Amino acid sequence: MTTRPTYLELADELAAELRDADVGTRAPSEHQLVASHGVSRITARAALQELELRYLVRRVRGAGTFVRRRIDYVIDKNLPPSFSATVAATGARPSSRLLRVIRRPPDPGSTYELEVADGGDIVEIRRITLVDDMPASVATLRLSGSRLPDIEEHLDDDVSVHALMVDVYGITLRRWRHHVSLDVPDADVASLLGDEAPRPCWYSESLNRIEGTTQLGEYSASWSHPQVIRNVFQIGDDE
């Protein structure tokens, strides 16, 4: 009979202990596991890696290992394409950190996608989004600048772009096209997501229309961490 590896037995024990722990609770470190369970450092590390593979914990570079629960990020044509609204609907707490806002001339692709008039510009927003203070995604949004005058004055950390568009500019977006794949980001994105090295993440691209029209109001591209986000697609016609 094959003996089960020690690291899996330890991982099972830790999983049972952490199952009812609050999100964000610090899990034992490798050093603590060596001292409390009499295992080697290699076994302790393998057990924590196994918990990470089961999406029970998240190991954050320089911070430690924390209890994690993935949220269901529902993608549905009848739901607004808002990160804040989608996360809040799960009972988790959304937040964001603004990295960059620039206005620039459109490239040919943006001119087509966002229907920017001659002489118009693109507002490009890059930010990190968080779920319960854990890095969840790195997103780049491109919007038609002529529709959003002075939007830079309203943007800040934790400001929902889509709520801002509704409240200040009277623009509501609806999902139109959405593409998701599993891919590996570059090292800069991986670092922003808290990983020591690039790991497979969800890569999403979206085109969203202005409600009640066929005009495209937003292009977005994002890298989402699979230990935080579980993409759920709801597909079908309304009955």
Side-chain angles (χ1 to χ4, degrees):
M1 182 175 179
T2 303
T3 302
R4 199 156 182 258
T6 302
Y7 81 91
L8 290 178
E9 297 288 348
L10 179 56
D12 289 345
E13 181 180 338
L14 292 171
E17 293 175 359
L18 297 174
R19 186 164 290 115
D20 296 325
D22 293 335
V23 171
T25 299
R26 185 182 292 272
S29 66
E30 293 176 12
H31 178 75
Q32 289 171 325
L33 290 175
V34 169
S36 62
H37 289 75
V39 297
S40 69
R41 189 70 175 265
I42 293 175
T43 297
R45 181 178 298 118
L48 291 175
Q49 289 172 340
E50 176 66 21
L51 292 182
E52 194 171 24
L53 289 173
R54 299 181 192 182
Y55 300 115
L56 296 176
V57 301
R58 175 86 184 273
R59 308 187 79 184
V60 180
R61 181 180 56 186
T65 302
F66 302 90
V67 172
R68 179 70 264 163
R69 303 282 186 270
R70 288 195 298 170
I71 65 163
D72 286 347
Y73 193 88
V74 178
I75 299 168
D76 186 313
K77 69 175 184 178
N78 297 312
L79 297 176
S82 166
F83 172 84
S84 296
T86 303
V87 172
T90 71
R93 183 170 60 84
S95 58
S96 63
R97 189 163 76 247
L98 195 62
L99 298 176
R100 182 182 72 229
V101 181
I102 59 172
R103 280 185 182 260
R104 61 171 179 79
D107 56 40
S110 294
T111 301
Y112 168 74
E113 291 167 354
L114 299 177
E115 300 168 2
V116 177
D118 291 343
D121 54 21
I122 293 290
V123 176
E124 185 170 287
I125 302 167
R126 185 171 170 83
R127 63 180 184 166
I128 301 174
T129 61
L130 302 97
V131 174
D132 293 330
D133 296 325
M134 296 292 287
S137 71
V138 177
T140 299
L141 313 179
R142 293 178 187 147
L143 310 164
S144 174
S146 61
R147 296 191 180 105
L148 305 167
D150 303 319
I151 190 174
E152 298 92 333
E153 297 179 6
H154 302 282
L155 289 169
D156 204 343
D157 291 349
D158 296 332
V159 171
S160 167
V161 174
H162 292 100
L164 176 63
M165 292 175 70
V166 172
D167 295 341
V168 177
Y169 300 98
I171 296 174
T172 299
L173 297 177
R174 292 296 177 190
R175 294 191 188 278
W176 181 47
R177 291 181 177 174
H178 197 92
H179 170 82
V180 177
S181 60
L182 193 64
D183 213 330
V184 180
D186 62 31
D188 289 340
V189 170
S191 179
L192 289 171
L193 290 174
D195 289 335
E196 294 182 355
R199 300 178 180 179
C201 290
W202 297 115
Y203 179 67
S204 303
E205 288 186 291
S206 296
L207 284 172
N208 301 313
R209 282 177 166 170
I210 297 174
E211 187 176 53
T213 76
T214 59
Q215 295 180 333
L216 295 170
E218 177 193 52
Y219 164 82
S220 69
S222 65
W223 291 96
S224 300
H225 206 298
Q227 290 183 336
V228 181
I229 299 292
R230 177 169 55 191
N231 284 312
V232 177
F233 291 87
Q234 295 185 168
I235 301 172
D237 295 328
D238 296 334
E239 295 183 358

